[in-house]
Amino acid sequence: MSEMKKTFGQVTALEELAGLNSPFHRIQASAKIIVTVIYLVMVISWKQGEVSGLLPYILYPVIVTALAELPIRLLFRRLVVALPFTVLAGLSNLFLSREIVFSIGSIGITEGMMSFCSLLIKSLLTVMAVLLLIATTRMDDLSYALLRFHIPSIFVMQFMMMYRYLFVLMEEASVMYHAYILRAPREKGIKLKDMGPFIGQLVIRSIDRAERVYHAMKCRGFSGNITLSDNNRMSKMDWLYLLLVGGLFLFMRLINLSEWIGRMYFKILS
Amino acid sequence: MNDMHMSDALVSVAVGGSMTAVSTGAIGYSIRKLRITDTEDKKIPMMGVMGAFIFAGQMINFTIPVVGSSGHIGGGILLAALLGPYPALITLASVLLVQCLFFADGGLLALGCNIFNMGVIPCLLVYPLIYKPILKRKISSRRITTASILAVVAGLQLGAFAVVLETVLSGISEIPFREFILFMQPIHLAIGIVEGIITSAVLIFVYHLRQDMLELDFGVTSKDSISRNKVIIIFLLASLLIGGGLSLYASTKPDGLEWSIEKVTEQTELVSKGEIHAATEKVQEATSIMPDYSFSSEEMSDSPIGTSLSGIIGGLITLIMAVSIGIVIMMYKRVRRSRTMTEG
């Protein structure tokens, strides 16, 4: 429970970050979403065991973090949460493919090590990309961007409402939980036999709340639509950002930048 | 406990893309159904709040007797029973979207897979095939218990199986198919039984206290929609089966595929010895491989060792560059801020 509280604290912190004002925050949400998706696809599409080609993609999170002045520690904390499962899945690669690809000095580098490394880098980069999108984009802008992509308004509206009510219901659940734990000391959680009434109670409270919310919305003239304001247009700068940065990601996918730099390095030496 | 979230790093572009297409179709269909059926504006706050409820419910840990470990609910079947299958799928999809964006739980490209495994399977497959028929004729505590335990177990079994298929088809992790299945299915059987018991207890509680709240629309649906449901279910099952067969085939015969790719890349290598290939169509292929550039001017990069060595050196240089660029930007910002402070 307290674990979740911590998580929620971090999520709220992310939301506060999104309200900051930096060159990167000012880019239109749609542009940022498309660039993020391009980035993800390019990173994912590198073949298994590729490390050098992936490394240049680190530039993006580093530059964005610096430009948007995001607290590195918070981002790292969120990053660590996402890693365990991927690491577990990657461990099997370590043990299963033991063919030595090449060796540095006397240390043999196996195929498994390479694919494990590339998996690790991939998961760091992909999680980071999504984190950066959230940390620099306000929830409302995100929702408007979804509407711009012609995602049905039913979906977007309930997505927005869900996000708003997350914290309200969390509070509700946590009050109930504390009341229970106070009456049942030395328990790690709710007993299985009490789970039905407990969650059921939460269901009833939630549905009642939804009813009240609906009536309040109706009183204020809600008819099932949201209106888009005009300042959600992509400007020339947004297009420029989209084309340049998206193009750069594509370029880095076609050319292995690391190898190219390495070659230049040897050329200069010789 | 019920953690079947797949992350981006484990999914190939092809698998992620196709599953996104399937899930988008299912959500689109659900939204259409919702528009036809009833007052959608009332459903919106209901779905939003119930989505938040699933979050809050997942937060509550319970203790499992004997084992002593603790877990939390997943809630797919519970939502379908409370809201009906279509609103439940839409709600679950946005729950998963929020989890992926704010909680780093499952990736953005893997979202299609996750919506399918944890939303489409319980709501559009298991609910109409297992849950609904059991309660159609008569509703009683015992029937609710039977229906929810069976439905949750079936949903998690199918979901776990889908996770295995998607992972194996993506080919990123090298967990062998058989071992993976033997690991996933029993674990999710245990989880499913516990979660099924909880789901039924919750539904019985709500049913006895407030019957009006349960989505008891059985028998209201017209014949036409049921037949269309059947078509969709058959289509989904078929795609699951075909996908499973294909993945088995692919896992037993990887050489054929690789051989053909090698053939193709060999030819392209012969044609273009430059740096820039017309590789746009290759990017779309998850399995695409950039052929090793061999610069004939340098004897060292002709060997694979040479290539990887320049890769390592270049990669290190890239890393150092990236970090220093970041530091420079931060320093610059700091200096500028302190300057504005002193001036202001």
Side-chain angles (χ1 to χ4, degrees):
Chain A
M1 203 72 182
S2 59
E3 266 305 297
M4 283 305 284
K5 272 242 150 61
K6 225 180 276 171
T7 312
F8 264 81
Q10 286 172 8
V11 172
T12 339
L14 277 181
E15 199 182 9
E16 277 164 14
L17 287 182
L20 292 176
N21 194 0
S22 77
F24 199 78
H25 281 78
R26 284 193 289 272
I27 297 167
Q28 185 49 244
S30 337
K32 273 186 277 192
I33 294 175
I34 296 170
V35 166
T36 304
V37 171
I38 293 176
Y39 181 83
L40 291 176
V41 171
M42 294 301 144
V43 167
I44 295 298
S45 67
W46 280 102
K47 71 170 196 283
Q48 199 189 341
E50 178 63 59
V51 175
S52 59
L54 279 171
L55 284 176
Y57 285 89
I58 291 173
L59 274 168
Y60 170 73
V62 169
I63 291 177
V64 172
T65 310
L67 267 184
E69 299 182 56
L70 302 170
I72 297 170
R73 202 175 300 164
L74 176 78
L75 291 181
F76 261 115
R77 255 191 245 132
R78 302 296 312 133
L79 209 55
V80 167
V81 175
L83 284 185
F85 183 72
T86 327
V87 171
L88 276 180
L91 278 178
S92 62
N93 296 17
L94 260 185
F95 296 115
L96 287 173
S97 38
R98 289 195 169 170
E99 295 142 53
I100 291 184
V101 192
F102 61 92
S103 45
I104 306 174
S106 59
I107 308 163
I109 304 292
T110 65
E111 209 175 302
M113 287 180 199
M114 291 300 280
S115 68
F116 181 70
C117 281
S118 82
L119 193 67
L120 203 63
I121 297 172
K122 269 186 189 177
S123 43
L124 281 172
L125 293 182
T126 48
V127 173
M128 200 68 193
V130 174
L131 266 180
L132 291 177
L133 173 68
I134 288 304
T136 56
T137 316
R138 296 214 333 275
M139 188 67 188
D140 295 353
D141 296 336
L142 208 65
S143 309
Y144 283 133
L146 290 183
L147 284 175
R148 282 228 166 279
F149 296 145
H150 295 288
I151 288 176
S153 62
I154 294 187
F155 185 85
V156 177
M157 265 193 293
Q158 65 94 38
F159 173 70
M160 285 163 94
M161 289 206 65
M162 188 184 100
Y163 186 75
R164 275 296 138 243
Y165 278 93
L166 262 188
F167 302 95
V168 177
L169 284 187
M170 295 276 307
E171 201 48 50
E172 188 98 64
S174 111
V175 166
M176 287 169 63
Y177 189 82
H178 277 293
Y180 182 95
I181 290 296
L182 285 173
R183 292 191 194 86
R186 288 197 295 279
E187 284 288 340
K188 262 189 297 190
I190 313 275
K191 281 184 190 147
L192 196 55
K193 66 173 172 57
D194 297 332
M195 211 44 191
F198 192 93
I199 300 268
Q201 195 62 250
L202 193 61
V203 168
I204 289 172
R205 288 186 191 196
S206 306
I207 291 182
D208 282 342
R209 186 178 289 272
E211 293 274 340
R212 291 201 299 276
V213 170
Y214 173 67
H215 291 312
M217 284 162 79
K218 268 294 190 210
C219 288
R220 290 172 180 77
F222 171 72
S223 64
N225 300 311
I226 11 178
T227 41
L228 266 178
S229 63
D230 234 2
N231 59 5
N232 285 296
R233 287 265 159 78
M234 299 246 300
S235 70
K236 280 201 186 80
M237 281 303 288
D238 297 324
W239 280 108
L240 192 69
Y241 167 76
L242 177 66
L243 292 173
L244 270 182
V245 180
L248 180 70
F249 294 156
L250 191 66
F251 176 76
M252 293 199 300
R253 178 64 188 85
L254 299 179
I255 303 284
N256 187 332
L257 212 57
S258 292
E259 265 178 36
W260 187 78
I261 289 175
R263 277 213 193 82
M264 293 304 288
Y265 174 78
F266 283 122
K267 243 194 187 132
I268 291 163
L269 276 193
S270 55
Chain B
M1 171 138 169
N2 168 27
D3 200 31
M4 298 202 299
H5 289 84
M6 297 182 70
S7 64
D8 277 344
L10 291 173
V11 180
S12 70
V13 177
V15 170
S18 47
M19 291 316 283
T20 303
V22 171
S23 293
T24 310
I27 294 170
Y29 174 77
S30 302
I31 287 174
R32 251 214 352 259
K33 292 291 283 191
L34 206 63
R35 284 199 175 131
I36 293 166
T37 48
D38 53 5
T39 49
E40 60 176 74
D41 69 337
K42 179 166 181 156
K43 283 272 181 193
I44 290 167
M46 187 60 83
M47 291 186 325
V49 174
M50 287 317 275
F53 152 79
I54 284 291
F55 257 102
Q58 284 183 346
M59 216 178 66
I60 294 158
N61 282 328
F62 57 82
T63 50
I64 303 165
V66 190
V67 191
S69 67
S70 65
H72 65 78
I73 59 160
I77 293 291
L78 181 61
L79 256 194
L82 288 168
L83 296 175
Y86 303 114
L89 174 63
I90 297 166
T91 308
L92 279 171
S94 54
V95 167
L96 289 165
L97 181 59
V98 168
Q99 282 178 333
C100 140
L101 289 177
F102 294 90
F103 296 84
D105 221 357
L108 200 59
L109 289 187
L111 190 63
C113 297
N114 288 326
I115 290 175
F116 184 84
N117 305 343
M118 289 180 268
V120 176
I121 288 177
C123 297
L124 298 193
L125 275 176
V126 174
Y127 180 86
L129 280 179
I130 298 177
Y131 186 88
K132 215 168 160 175
I134 296 178
L135 293 179
K136 203 152 190 154
R137 272 188 298 126
K138 186 168 142 270
I139 294 181
S140 66
S141 295
R142 186 175 302 166
R143 274 171 181 263
I144 290 181
T145 309
T146 319
S148 28
I149 291 177
L150 282 179
V152 171
V153 167
L156 282 184
Q157 286 298 300
L158 279 174
F161 186 62
V163 168
V164 173
L165 279 191
E166 286 151 11
T167 310
V168 171
L169 277 174
S170 295
I172 309 286
S173 164
E174 289 190 22
I175 305 175
F177 184 77
R178 241 193 72 228
E179 278 75 1
F180 201 9
I181 282 276
L182 289 176
F183 169 78
M184 287 289 272
Q185 304 306 122
I187 280 195
H188 282 92
L189 180 64
I191 293 173
I193 290 168
V194 174
E195 195 180 321
I197 291 169
I198 292 173
T199 302
S200 68
V202 173
L203 288 175
I204 289 167
F205 180 84
V206 174
Y207 175 70
H208 282 310
L209 230 64
R210 304 274 294 273
Q211 282 193 24
D212 57 305
M213 281 185 176
L214 279 188
E215 180 71 26
L216 304 170
D217 64 338
F218 310 135
V220 182
T221 40
S222 60
K223 273 212 158 55
D224 148 79
S225 70
I226 288 179
S227 68
R228 203 180 315 155
N229 273 354
K230 275 205 178 119
V231 170
I232 283 194
I233 287 162
I234 288 165
F235 168 75
L236 283 174
L237 278 175
S239 63
L240 268 179
L241 283 174
I242 292 167
L246 273 180
S247 74
L248 277 172
Y249 176 78
S251 62
T252 51
K253 287 197 195 301
D255 318 329
L257 190 70
E258 272 165 28
W259 179 79
S260 58
I261 288 174
E262 253 165 49
K263 265 270 195 260
V264 172
T265 47
E266 249 172 50
Q267 279 175 347
T268 50
E269 244 177 45
L270 288 178
V271 175
S272 58
K273 263 204 148 120
E275 293 148 273
I276 301 177
H277 295 257
T280 35
E281 71 272 3
K282 279 193 196 166
V283 171
Q284 291 165 348
E285 289 184 76
T287 49
S288 87
I289 296 165
M290 290 300 295
D292 301 333
Y293 309 112
S294 42
F295 284 69
S296 45
S297 58
E298 291 169 50
E299 65 280 6
M300 67 160 308
S301 55
D302 273 342
S303 60
I305 293 179
T307 308
S308 42
L309 189 63
S310 45
I312 293 169
I313 301 285
L316 278 176
I317 296 174
T318 319
L319 262 183
I320 294 165
M321 260 173 31
V323 172
S324 34
I325 288 175
I327 291 172
V328 166
I329 294 176
M330 279 184 185
M331 299 264 278
Y332 173 74
K333 290 232 170 205
R334 210 164 287 162
V335 168
R336 232 181 49 177
R337 204 179 307 139
S338 61
R339 201 173 288 162
T340 49
M341 289 262 236
T342 48
E343 282 171 8

